Amino acid sequence: MAHPREVHNYDHAEDFGLSGLAGALCARAALRLDGPVVLALAGARSEDEDDQLGRDVRLLLDSPLPDEVLGAVWLAAVRRCFDPADEGTAPREWLRRVAEVCPPRPPERGPHEVKALDEVRPTVPEEKLRTTVAAEVEAAAAPLGRGVAVPGIVPALLRVVREADADLGFRLFLRAAKAYSVPVAEEQYERLVAIGELLAYPRVAVHEELRVRWPPLDPGRRDFAAGRFGLPFLAAVLNGSDWRYEGTVRENIERLVRADTGDTPGTQAAVLLEDVQRLLGSGLSGEAVTALWRAAAARSAYTGGDEFDTDGRAWLERVAEVCREYLSEVDPVYRPSLSPAGSALTDGVLSEVREAAADAAEVRDVARVLEEVVTGVDPDLGFRFLLQILSTYDLHVPGARRDRYRALAERLGYDADHLDDRLPCPAG
């Protein structure tokens, strides 16, 4: 490979290049598609700062690939919604026409921008990438062969990877799998995501539209790569009044419950709903629930008549409704249930609540409620609320205490980022 790799997630927020064009064509397959229409769409995408589209086409044109290979990967990527052969145009001639409407448009970058991009530019050798991508195509050969209505698609994709460009071959492989809803095992999905990260793709370029065979929903899931989850996470989303810039209350809840990138669809909703159900099913008074929520979300001072959370239990019912609606959409057979609440860490979490309350008035104000959550509801939920309150008010956590928190978080199964994401940086 003679050219440096692009930092795709800097220039693109979604799929891009030839695979991005193919996805756009699939999305409008119900509308009229002919040569002039497709060329107009390609030109518009290229003018809209997708210079990768022209580069992709020229990579194919500069390769020794025959028409039958070029035609196969094109038809698979666009799900046969437009076949240039229907207009008497051979695949290589068709790609030349696309290249003509997508001339090179190198982005104008300043020296500092170029330097910053060079520091994060992918450096994987082409031969290594070819081997990695070819292995994934071969691993999916059986479902691709069964599901993609284009004869010879697997050997065609492998030739693109080995004889044209492995990055482009990877994206055309993903696009063919998406176009024909080819099922992908979770283990392979994780490898595909890793390749996308290696090549600096925007994450959606891999996962969006991909049909992954996900494991069943698990409301007891705790190892979220993003760190946060559940009701304390919602308190962070709806902190104070800044949330209004992101939309309505419902839109903010929906934004959280739909944040399932890389997880079984509905996971965030299931975990949030479990937190809500634990509190609703507990003996905590409505006043106690309200005080805990409003302390965690820094909303205690908001008392206007139009405020949405002045009745804690009614507020939780509202959250639960949004969760159930989304879960019924993504997994109609899912029936919410409570995972077993652990009790082994009750004493440890209770001790930390009391020590934090002794040092900080913001914790002390809701210490009694926190203790009730830890001892009577779930120590895991109580610990997450404690972390959220400490974060909300930017309260210092000494080194020894931070080490104990880290040990508790590890025993509760949290991702390493959960604790670091919730606590202020150590002083000094």
Side-chain angles (χ1 to χ4, degrees):
M1 186 191 67
H3 59 85
R5 297 194 185 279
E6 301 298 323
V7 185
H8 296 301
N9 54 20
Y10 181 79
D11 291 317
H12 308 285
E14 54 189 17
D15 202 359
F16 53 90
L18 188 57
S19 55
L21 172 64
L25 296 178
C26 288
R28 54 177 293 146
L31 304 176
R32 183 176 70 89
L33 284 177
D34 56 20
V37 170
V38 175
L39 290 175
L41 289 170
R45 290 179 71 90
S46 177
E47 290 178 5
D48 191 25
E49 301 184 350
D50 189 356
D51 189 52
Q52 188 63 42
L53 174 54
R55 284 196 293 269
D56 283 349
V57 173
R58 284 183 282 278
L59 282 168
L60 294 177
L61 289 173
D62 292 343
S63 76
L65 297 173
D67 268 355
E68 56 265 29
V69 170
L70 298 176
V73 296
W74 168 267
L75 290 177
V78 301
R79 203 175 59 224
R80 287 187 172 274
C81 65
F82 170 70
D83 185 350
D86 293 340
E87 299 182 359
T89 305
R92 186 169 285 273
E93 175 58 30
W94 167 248
L95 291 177
R96 287 196 186 95
R97 295 182 187 179
V98 176
E100 288 173 1
V101 299
C102 302
R105 293 187 178 91
E108 297 181 2
R109 307 196 197 277
H112 296 295
E113 189 178 14
V114 171
K115 181 180 179 182
L117 289 174
D118 284 343
E119 291 175 354
V120 296
R121 196 176 301 280
T123 58
V124 56
E126 180 69 4
E127 195 57 43
K128 179 179 179 181
L129 185 62
R130 284 175 180 163
T131 300
T132 302
V133 174
E136 296 304 331
V137 175
E138 290 169 340
L144 281 171
R146 290 192 299 268
V148 177
V150 177
I153 185 55
V154 173
L157 287 169
L158 287 172
R159 290 195 65 177
V160 173
V161 171
R162 291 165 175 157
E163 300 176 42
D165 184 75
D167 180 330
L168 173 57
F170 180 58
R171 284 184 283 116
L172 291 176
F173 158 54
L174 290 174
R175 174 45 54 191
K178 294 173 183 181
Y180 285 92
S181 298
V182 175
V184 174
E186 183 188 14
E187 296 80 7
Q188 182 171 31
Y189 168 77
E190 292 174 354
R191 297 196 302 270
L192 301 180
V193 168
I195 295 173
E197 292 174 349
L198 185 69
L199 294 171
Y201 287 2
R203 192 176 178 94
V204 297
V206 175
H207 84 83
E208 194 168 67
E209 300 179 59
L210 199 61
R211 182 186 168 194
V212 182
R213 292 198 297 264
W214 295 110
L217 280 170
D218 176 13
R221 170 84 184 276
R222 293 294 178 264
D223 58 338
F224 288 89
R228 295 180 285 176
F229 56 90
L231 195 54
F233 188 13
L234 183 61
V237 170
L238 292 169
N239 184 277
S241 60
D242 291 346
W243 56 270
R244 298 179 189 275
Y245 296 108
E246 300 294 335
T248 65
V249 172
R250 183 183 178 89
E251 287 169 345
N252 275 273
I253 303 171
E254 289 177 341
R255 187 159 53 92
L256 188 156
V257 302
R258 293 175 180 272
D260 291 321
T261 301
D263 292 314
T264 304
T267 295
Q268 286 281 4
V271 173
L272 175 58
L273 181 58
E274 179 175 78
D275 283 352
V276 168
Q277 288 178 318
R278 287 197 193 283
L279 288 181
L280 288 175
S282 73
L284 289 176
S285 67
E287 292 79 7
V289 171
T290 304
L292 177 62
W293 162 261
R294 302 199 108 204
R299 294 189 46 76
S300 299
Y302 294 86
T303 57
D306 64 340
E307 293 304 326
F308 61 87
D309 56 357
T310 51
D311 182 335
R313 284 187 169 271
W315 161 239
L316 293 184
E317 291 286 5
R318 187 175 175 184
V319 175
E321 179 184 0
V322 177
C323 292
R324 292 190 184 100
E325 287 179 3
Y326 182 58
L327 287 166
S328 67
E329 173 186 329
V330 298
D331 191 347
V333 301
Y334 177 72
R335 295 295 177 266
S337 61
L338 294 181
S339 58
S343 59
L345 299 180
T346 298
D347 291 342
V349 175
L350 189 60
S351 175
E352 298 302 341
V353 168
R354 289 171 176 168
E355 185 167 338
D359 291 345
E362 294 86 351
V363 180
R364 191 156 54 247
D365 290 342
V366 289
R368 182 185 60 80
V369 181
L370 273 173
E371 290 185 15
E372 288 185 43
V373 173
V374 172
T375 59
V377 182
D378 183 22
D380 166 30
L381 180 56
F383 184 55
R384 284 185 281 123
F385 264 116
L386 171 63
L387 295 177
Q388 176 58 32
I389 292 170
L390 293 170
S391 173
T392 294
Y393 300 100
D394 200 26
L395 300 173
H396 173 60
V397 178
R401 191 185 302 170
R402 185 181 292 265
D403 289 342
R404 296 197 303 271
Y405 286 5
R406 186 169 285 110
L408 283 171
E410 184 176 348
R411 292 184 64 186
L412 287 165
Y414 301 168
D415 186 272
D417 288 340
H418 186 101
L419 191 71
D420 294 336
D421 194 31
R422 300 315 319 130
L423 295 183
C425 294

